Structure formats: C-alpha cells, structure tokens
Amino acid sequence: MTVSEAAKALNMKILAGGDKTSLSRDIRHIYTGDLLSWVMAKASEGDAWFTVMGNINALAVASLADCACIILVENAVLDANAKEKADSISMPVLQTGRRAAEMIIELDTLMKTE
Amino acid sequence: MSSSISLHFDVSGDDFTRAGEASTQVKKTLKKIGYDSDAIRRVAIAMYEGEINMVIHAGGGTADVEIYPDRVDIVLTDEGPGIEDVEKAMTAGFSTAPDNVRSLGFGAGMGLPNIEKYTDSMRIETEIGVGTKMFLSVNAGGSNS
Ligand SMILES: Nc1ncnc2c1ncn2[C@@H]1O[C@H](COP(=O)(O)OP(=O)(O)O)[C@@H](O)[C@H]1O
Ligand SMILES: [Mg+2]
C-alpha cells in the first residue's frame, strides 16, 4: 500500500512533504513511538511511523531511518520549521485526529488484505 | 588503501533544529557511492546520536568522516564540559539532559548505548573542562548487528 493510498483509505490529511514520488512510496511496515533515540535505532526502511512528535528533529529521524512517512496522531501539531523541512526533503507528514492504536490496527488490516 | 573520501562538518551548538545535517549528508554520500546499506544505517544512527550529544551537552563541535571501501571512521570533537564518569554515561537510561530537550523527544539516555550497539568500535577521550573526542568505526559488510 502506498502512502497516498493509506492517506485516502484512513482519511488522513497530508500536511507536508507530499509530492508524486514520496506519496507513491510503498509502506512496508508500521512503527510507533515518541522517543527519538529509540525510533532512530528501531524503525526500519519503509515504515509508516505513528507519533506525536511533529518537530524538526522527528523529520531528521524519519529521514535517517528512511521511513515512508510520518503519521501525526491525535491531531499532534507539525511545527512551521518541521513543515518546511518535510517539504524540502519530501518526507510525507500525514495527520489524523484518531489514536495511534486504532489507526495501526486498521492500517495493518488493510495492508494484510491487499 | 588510498581511495578514501574525507568529509568535514561544523556542528552548530546554538541551533538544536539543525542537528542531523551532518549525518544526513554522510548518509547521502554513502548512498550515492552505493555503500553497503546496513553499514549506511549504522553510520547514520551512530553519527546522529553523536551530533545530538554535541549539540545538547557540549555547545556544538566538529565531525570528521573518512569513508574507506571497507569501513567508515567518524571522529566527533567538542570543547564542551567533558564527561565525568564515562562508564556511567554509557549506561542505558543515564542522562543529564534538561527537560526542554526531553520534551523534544531526546534525553532518554540511549544515545551512547545506541552508538556502542551500532558501531564496530567506539572510543571516548574526555577531559573535564576541556572537551570530548569520540572515535567511531563501522565496518562495511557488517560484523555488527
Ligand atoms: N559530547 C558530550 N559532552 C559532554 N557530556 C556528554 C556528551 N555526550 C554525552 N554526554 C553525557 O553522557 C550522558 C549520556 O548520553 P546519552 O546516552 O547520549 O544520553 P542523552 O543524550 O539522552 O542524555 C549525557 O546525558 C551527558 O551527561
Ligand atoms: Mg544523547
């Protein structure tokens, strides 16, 4: 499932970093966490990363860990300079009002029935 | 081995938001030359943690990276306060980071343990009031996790 397909299926807003290439990237796994050192060490390539961290450091972590996208849950805010960074490195940042747990279950189900 | 690439970076100490630029640049370079992808990942993690530490704890510093066909050497140098007890600092969960750093998602005391885990060798030279130098090395073709 691509980032844009996931955004559509789960009714998520695309806040930044969404261009043709970045949105057509495949989501390979799901990861969640807010401690950046932890995520940095454990997230893997192609992850959809569910978090409340919408700061510029989260963008650096997503980029270094090679995540497919960041998904901000419970309407967590994307800072202005983080938005700028997301656009400049084409890292999609999506947003939902719902909780991580619900979203992950749904996305996982969708990915399995693909 | 004569064919190596040398990179040098100044890591600014007053701009926390720019931390990660050096490691991102190194990652880009390694990708471009088609480096072993597991090694790229380990270099990126270790170097980012080192960079963040220099920014949070030492007011910035420099990073020197030497890319060889079979390994990447990283030297991080700062003129910060130094580390009082290195063994203690290496313990998972130990951190002297202030609350404002913690609220940004750092300061979990996992940086040095992560660096140790993802590099093939790690050496710290530090002196109170003088600074800290970290020598890191990552082998390509992965002998580590
Ligand atoms: N470059 C440095 N200069 C001075 N102190 C450092 C440096 N790097 C690490 N430290 C000390 O070691 C501790 C542990 O570092 P680390 O494992 O990265 O955890 P954290 O950065 O989350 O505090 C830090 O809290 C700090 O006290
Ligand atoms: Mg640290």
Side-chain angles (χ1 to χ4, degrees), chain A residues 15-19 59 82-91 93:
Chain A
L15 298 183
D19 59 31
L59 265 302
K83 180 181 183 318
E84 206 174 295
K85 183 83 183 177
D87 286 330
S88 81
I89 63 172
S90 295
M91 173 61 68
V93 181

Side-chain angles (χ1 to χ4, degrees), chain A residues 37, chain B residues 48-50 52-54 56-57 94-95 97 106-113 115:
Chain A
S37 287
Chain B
Y48 184 58
E49 291 288 2
I52 287 285
N53 277 356
M54 290 199 297
I56 300 175
H57 306 295
F94 176 84
S95 174
F106 289 104
M110 286 186 56
L112 295 177
I115 293 172

Side-chain angles (χ1 to χ4, degrees), chain A residues 32-45:
Chain A
T32 183
D34 302 313
L35 282 177
L36 298 186
S37 287
W38 194 285
V39 175
M40 177 79 214
K42 306 287 173 109
S44 47
E45 197 183 329

Side-chain angles (χ1 to χ4, degrees), chain B residues 14-113:
Chain B
D14 43 61
D15 194 354
F16 188 60
T17 62
R18 283 183 51 201
E21 280 184 4
S23 24
T24 302
Q25 201 51 51
V26 170
K27 186 181 174 183
K28 253 191 214 154
T29 305
L30 290 171
K31 260 195 161 161
K32 206 160 63 193
I33 61 174
Y35 218 73
D36 172 49
S37 65
D38 176 65
I40 294 179
R41 182 182 162 72
R42 293 190 290 118
V43 166
I45 293 173
M47 197 171 155
Y48 184 58
E49 291 288 2
E51 237 185 291
I52 287 285
N53 277 356
M54 290 199 297
V55 176
I56 300 175
H57 306 295
T62 58
D64 289 279
V65 180
E66 201 71 31
I67 303 168
Y68 299 94
D70 61 340
R71 78 168 196 279
V72 179
D73 289 347
I74 304 157
V75 182
L76 303 168
T77 311
D78 69 60
E79 294 173 2
I83 303 174
E84 210 172 278
D85 184 340
V86 173
E87 204 179 316
K88 198 163 159 192
M90 291 291 301
T91 316
F94 176 84
S95 174
T96 60
D99 282 349
N100 68 318
V101 165
R102 226 159 265 159
S103 70
L104 291 170
F106 289 104
M110 286 186 56
L112 295 177

